[in-house]
Amino acid sequence: MELFEQQRIEPINIEDEIKVSYLDYAMSVIIGRALPDARDGLKPVHRRILFAMNDLGNDYNKPYKKSARVVGDVIGKYHPHGDQSVYDALVRLAQDFAMRYPLADGQGNFGSIDGDSAAAMRYTEVRMAKLAHEYMADIDKNTVEFGPNYDGSLEEPTVMPTRVPGLLVNGSAGIAVGMATNIPPHNLGEVSSGLIALIENPDISIEELMAIIPGPDFPTGGFILGREGIREAYHTGRGIIRVRAKATIETGPKDTKRSLVITEMPYQVNKAKVVEDIDALAREKKIEGISEVRDESDRDGMRVVVDIKSAQRDLAETIMNQLYRMTQLEVSFGINLLAVVGQAPRLLTLKDALVHFIDHRKDVVTRRTRFELDKAEARAHILEGLRKALDHLDEVIAMIRGSRTPAEAKSGLISRFEFTAIQAQAILDLRLQKLTQLERKSIDDEYNALLTDIERYKAILASETLLLGVIKDELIELRDGYGDDRRTVITNVRPGDYNPEDFIVDEDMVVTISHGGYIKRNSVTLYKSQKRGGKGVTAAKTKEDDFVERLYIASTHNYLLFLTNRGRLYWLKVHEIPQAGRTSRGKALVNVIPLDEGEKVATVLVVKDLSEPERFVVMATKMGIVKRVELAAFQNPRRVGIIAITIGEDDELVSAGMTDGQSALVLSTSGGKAICFKESDVRPMGRTAAGVKGISLAAKDSLVSMDVISADRSEVLLTVTEKGFGKRTPAAEYNLQSRGGMGTITIKTTPQKGQVVGVLKVTEEDRLMLITNTGRLIMFKTSEVSVRHRNTGGVKLIDISDGEYVVDVAPVGEPEDDGLGVDTPAETEDGGADDMLGLE
């Protein structure tokens, strides 16, 4: 009773107590568990995992350790929570589909994008990723504050001295009490460049930063639709973006079907669940036209195939649009840039996040520099004593030998030579080998180097400009060492809009057209790089009398202009060309563009922008007519084609090329005549005009080719006759004439040599194919053909049998990207009779 009277109990309002206790609990969750620190971007559990792995020496270049051992150290020393929660956090650090830049290197089953759980921690092994070491760089140099662990027996860092802007680079997600954070990952190279720009210009605006950091970069790729959500998030800290999977339409063998192929998923979307949802929609007839869904993903990458019942492209595009709308192939991602700043949660803009990281780096580099300065000064102090002792070596040795104890020797050194206690102890610890002349020099060299370092450290501490320069140099080193290409494509299309081209990656494709009229496209990456002279890889399986006649490297967003012998023009975007297997023959041209009976493609032009000014298309017909028209005239062609040039009776289009208005044209005839004149001699005409006379033809003569050359005529032309003769001639030998003349001799034609079948602009490395009326082929390099004057005969290129003659000469390879010529061969190597293409 007396005890209760002594301990007076104060009454407390239960509402007040609940408010205080709940607030304490909420702040504990916010600061200690759920939200990342704005400085290093890590939550406490991740920071403790990395620190424990560092304690264990679990480095990226050392053997793996059992995950259970790492988890045991974390929960035993630093993180008093459940082992499974710590293991789940460790697993996430190792998942390349969850982390843009994984901080742990796992061995074993660490889960999958299909939602599979990781194996138990006793089965898996782990070590730090190389990038994780950048988070703890200089942690042993007093760069950050340490605090007691949960039981006060050890110390742990309150923040990492990271060189990596982890808050943005790897992002974060967490639900606290009354608030949540959801920060998307970004590209390390872009964020580093943004930080460098901020250092160089502290007043830089968020809009200017967005030119460097355009938006999130998810580890699973995909597309971000529009920039409005990104802009709002970067300016206010909150915003919603739409993320869409990457899906392409592929054509099956023999054009019997089409398939949607999904190769990238939106961030944090379960692939297996998406496959199940698509299958359910097909079975329940909510989406019509799907025959089968297959997951063909393997260790080489993701590949989910949705087979379409019909080969119609419009149906495939419609189904793709329905899948985006009805499945998680398109999702919303709510950005909430909430992080801990000064032990309190704060909503950050893009610039705020970068500023807090730079402030942290300034503090870390300052503390590191001060630590290194103190260490250098302490060492320099000892070296000063050693140098002084070596200057009085005999006296020092005599005094030490005369002392009865080390303490007496130490006090003698201090009193007689005025050494400090530290210097005196260093002299007594000096090994005899240090008394040699060589060792004396090394002491002097070390002392002088330390003086230089001390001066540099003091300069850095005295100048913020130098301090920021150190931070900038480290960011450049980080960007160069760990930066990579962006994975997520940001499109300008707004959420809800659908334009198939906006979801087609702007990448280079190989477009091949065979002599027999088959066309296809494939990604450049399908063709392995080889050294010159390699065997190459098979580009297409063709008939015995067929071969790859034209090859173009063009972006998926480029245009292909098909000009036919009847003067009509058709165009397709490169991504609309059927995509087939690397060894597939492709699709017949007549099934790609609506050619009439007897109509065939005369030439193909690759164009990036149809509205580009000062660009012209020059065409030439069999009867010697030429026409020049501005490229912009073809901006709005119809699917059924448009008139590019009005062709007269018994005439046909022979060739066409792109010019810049400053080129020269060479027209060559079957009778061995050629004329060279400036393209400016042909005035620009309307799209439907018939053209003007380019060359006056003799009876029974006809035009076989037109070549676009530079104004200085520095190119070389190769001429081939129907009896298998040919030669190379410098274009400079063709003097400029007026349009419409008879021309000059380009090769002497005789009954033994036959008529001219083709004239091509060539280089030393080009490959050509000769085709005879019997289907016989021969491939050769132009360097094997002699260079001869214009008014001469040629050399034999192929042996011709009785009744046999050359019907065509064609380049085999990639057009030279000079924007002027057409059908220029590529610099590729002859990979043998069975190897149609070898890209370098």
Side-chain angles (χ1 to χ4, degrees), residues 479-501:
R479 180 184 64 188
D480 295 344
Y482 298 95
D484 58 2
D485 294 333
R486 164 172 282 276
R487 299 182 187 177
T488 301
V489 177
I490 302 175
T491 71
N492 291 322
V493 67
R494 294 175 300 175
D497 292 346
Y498 179 71
N499 180 358
E501 188 170 310

Side-chain angles (χ1 to χ4, degrees), residues 522-539:
N522 268 317
S523 174
V524 169
T525 57
L526 287 184
Y527 300 92
K528 62 185 179 182
S529 176
Q530 294 189 349
K531 293 185 180 297
R532 190 171 298 279
K535 183 175 176 58
V537 295
T538 302

Side-chain angles (χ1 to χ4, degrees), residues 108-125:
N109 176 16
F110 275 78
S112 73
I113 198 171
D114 289 327
D116 301 319
S117 301
M121 67 181 81
R122 62 183 179 274
Y123 297 122
T124 61
E125 296 179 329

